[in-house]
Amino acid sequence: HSPGVQPADLEEVIKKGVKTVVIGRGMSEALQVPASTVDYLKKQGIDVLVLQTEKAVVEYNALAAQGVKVGGVFHSTC
C-alpha cells in the first residue's frame, strides 16, 4: 500500500490515449497515491480522480457513459 500507485503503474493506461484516469484506493482507502503521481498525470494533460474504490467505479462508469476517454486503476480490497 506504500509507496502506492507510481507513474510506472499507469503507463499502460496512459498509452491508450485517455483524457481522465480514475484511481480507486481500496474499500478502506489504504492504497496510497502520492502527489508526485497526480502531478505526473496532470503534466501529461490528464485529469485524475483519486477516490474510494466503490466511488471510483461509479465515477468511472459515469464518465464512460458520457463518452469521456477514461481509464481506471482500481485497488479491489483494503
Side-chain angles (χ1 to χ4, degrees):
H1 297 103
S2 181
V5 180
Q6 301 295 301
D9 300 327
L10 302 168
E11 288 301 317
E12 187 175 337
V13 174
I14 292 169
K15 287 179 184 176
K16 303 286 184 185
V18 297
K19 301 299 181 195
T20 301
V21 171
V22 179
I23 301 173
R25 295 187 54 213
M27 301 306 280
S28 300
E29 299 184 83
L31 181 66
Q32 301 299 306
V33 181
S36 58
T37 298
V38 173
D39 291 342
Y40 170 78
L41 289 168
K42 289 181 178 180
K43 285 179 184 174
Q44 302 289 325
I46 299 170
D47 293 327
V48 59
L49 299 168
V50 179
L51 303 164
Q52 186 267 355
T53 292
E54 288 175 309
K55 293 175 183 174
V57 170
V58 169
E59 188 65 28
Y60 174 92
N61 288 332
L63 290 167
Q66 293 169 25
V68 174
K69 193 151 188 182
V70 61
V73 178
F74 304 98
H75 188 58
S76 61
T77 57
C78 47

